[in-house]
Amino acid sequence: MGQTQLNRKTSDFGTFGRYTEIPGDQMTPEQRESDMSLKFTAGDLTVHRLIEQETTFLPVHDMFAGLTPDLLAENRQWLRDSGAMDATDTLILCFQSYVVRTPHYTILIDSCIGNDKPRPQRPKWNQKTDDTYMRALKAAGFAVEDIDFVMCTHLHVDHVGWNTRLEGGRWVPTFPKARYVFGKAEYDYWAEQHAKAEVPPFGDSVLPVVEARRADIVRDDFAIGDHLRILPTPGHTPGHLAFAAGRGKDDAVFCGDIMHSPLQTRYPELSFKFDVDPALAAKTRRDFMERYCDTDTLCCTAHFPSPSTGRIRRRGNGFSCEAAS
């Protein structure tokens, strides 16, 4: 299934200019590389973006309960110009993974949507069979066997999908040599929910990894060498995590679903429809941006439109995420 991707020249989250839609099966890795940054460095890290989809999601006023008509009117033009919202006021989100290469390990952060997964509530994700993700992995120079760790910021459907793939009618770990790292609070929460009523992403994209004995259920003091650390960031889900990377300092931080849209950098109090604890999510979001505001730490978002990465800067009572040059 060819998914719609967004192809646009980028400079910063306020001045992307217009975008044009190109079917995923018509966009080559070379086209993507020429139009958006898919590889960058931070300290002694090399980071690659693997984009599975970059497309319209849901109407912006449905996603943010605190978004008044006046506030939307005030921000409509820059959201459209930045590629974060289309002409019908529908959010545009990127669904992607990051591959982080440290001097010792290759780490995949969040495994996106996946193929062959029954997701009837999301037609663009349901029983998907395209090769976009695997082509992106190959274009970045990696095979599934090269991944040492898979780190999940949380266990929502669009962050665990490629944890597994269908082989011979059963779900098996996609990355056969990797240890899959799940935060204990997050894992315990979803295990409890799944015991009450089936949670399909947990059943097809998390439990098979545990059953294959490839999972590590870790506490907040977990680290990978001296290059990757856990930063607890609850609110979107009870055990949501961010991952800080770099030797001795946070050269890059992978923030998962702390925020979904650049609108939330300007207005951290705007919580997303799918936040399990909106008030806590808002506090976590502001604390996160205060922590990294006006530093050199590269903030790697899960869902902002391309280029998706930037540095947090103060803007009035809120912030902005300024794309790295």
Side-chain angles (χ1 to χ4, degrees):
M1 179 173 71
Q3 297 295 335
T4 297
Q5 308 292 334
L6 301 182
N7 179 24
R8 55 182 175 270
K9 300 293 183 182
T10 59
S11 55
D12 62 55
F13 286 152
T15 56
F16 281 150
R18 295 184 179 274
Y19 63 84
T20 57
E21 295 191 352
I22 295 180
D25 56 5
Q26 296 177 22
M27 181 182 285
T28 67
E30 291 75 18
Q31 283 177 303
R32 287 183 175 180
E33 191 67 47
S34 68
D35 286 317
M36 62 183 74
S37 174
L38 295 181
K39 177 182 177 181
F40 46 92
T41 59
D44 58 358
L45 309 169
T46 303
V47 182
H48 299 259
R49 297 171 60 217
L50 308 183
I51 301 173
E52 188 166 13
Q53 294 181 5
E54 186 163 4
T55 186
T56 51
F57 189 58
L58 292 169
V60 65
H61 55 79
D62 287 353
M63 293 296 95
F64 299 109
L67 183 62
T68 65
D70 286 347
L71 194 61
L72 178 57
E74 182 181 339
N75 292 277
R76 180 177 280 113
Q77 194 58 54
W78 76 263
L79 285 169
R80 289 180 178 178
D81 290 345
S82 71
M85 189 176 75
D86 74 2
T88 69
D89 293 344
T90 299
L91 282 180
I92 296 167
L93 300 184
C94 191
F95 298 91
Q96 62 192 320
S97 299
Y98 289 92
V99 178
V100 184
R101 181 70 186 142
T102 79
H104 305 292
Y105 299 108
T106 301
I107 303 163
L108 184 133
I109 295 178
D110 287 334
S111 66
C112 234
I113 298 163
N115 273 4
D116 302 303
K117 302 291 171 74
R119 309 291 187 243
Q121 293 182 330
R122 295 279 178 265
K124 292 179 182 180
W125 303 351
N126 188 44
Q127 301 288 358
K128 196 165 65 65
T129 59
D130 65 79
D131 65 350
T132 302
Y133 191 84
M134 284 301 167
R135 282 193 295 111
L137 185 68
K138 182 178 179 181
F142 300 103
V144 293
E145 294 82 7
D146 295 328
I147 304 300
D148 298 307
F149 293 92
V150 176
M151 310 280 291
C152 293
T153 58
H154 62 300
L155 302 183
H156 273 169
V157 55
D158 53 318
H159 293 258
V160 300
W162 280 104
N163 281 0
T164 60
R165 57 182 172 182
L166 198 59
E167 287 188 1
R170 53 190 292 266
W171 298 111
V172 301
T174 300
F175 306 97
K177 297 182 180 179
R179 299 301 302 177
Y180 287 71
V181 177
F182 306 132
K184 183 175 182 352
E186 182 76 0
Y187 180 85
D188 288 349
Y189 171 78
W190 289 109
E192 181 180 353
Q193 299 303 309
H194 188 68
K196 297 174 184 175
E198 182 185 10
V199 179
F202 191 81
D204 60 38
S205 300
V206 178
L207 283 183
V209 174
V210 175
E211 292 163 358
R213 304 189 179 209
R214 304 303 304 170
D216 294 321
I217 314 299
V218 304
R219 299 186 183 275
D220 294 344
D221 59 354
F222 177 83
I224 297 177
D226 55 1
H227 272 88
L228 195 139
R229 302 161 293 282
I230 282 176
L231 180 64
T233 48
H236 180 60
T237 59
H240 187 284
L241 303 172
F243 300 121
R247 188 195 303 269
K249 64 186 181 74
D250 295 354
D251 291 316
V253 62
F254 301 86
C255 69
D257 282 5
I258 290 174
M259 45 197 173
H260 289 76
S261 167
L263 186 64
Q264 293 174 284
T265 61
R266 293 200 183 183
Y267 307 98
E269 68 275 10
L270 284 178
S271 285
F272 203 61
K273 177 179 181 178
F274 300 112
D275 291 342
V276 68
D277 187 334
L280 180 57
K283 181 181 185 303
T284 291
R285 190 160 40 253
R286 182 170 285 279
D287 289 349
F288 175 87
M289 286 189 280
E290 288 285 359
R291 176 180 181 134
Y292 291 109
C293 180
D294 298 327
T295 71
D296 290 332
T297 300
L298 192 66
C299 180
C300 302
T301 71
H303 296 303
F304 281 20
S306 291
S308 303
T309 63
R311 292 183 172 86
I312 304 298
R313 299 292 181 254
R314 196 171 301 281
R315 184 186 179 99
N317 191 42
F319 306 87
S320 63
C321 190
E322 303 293 335
S325 59

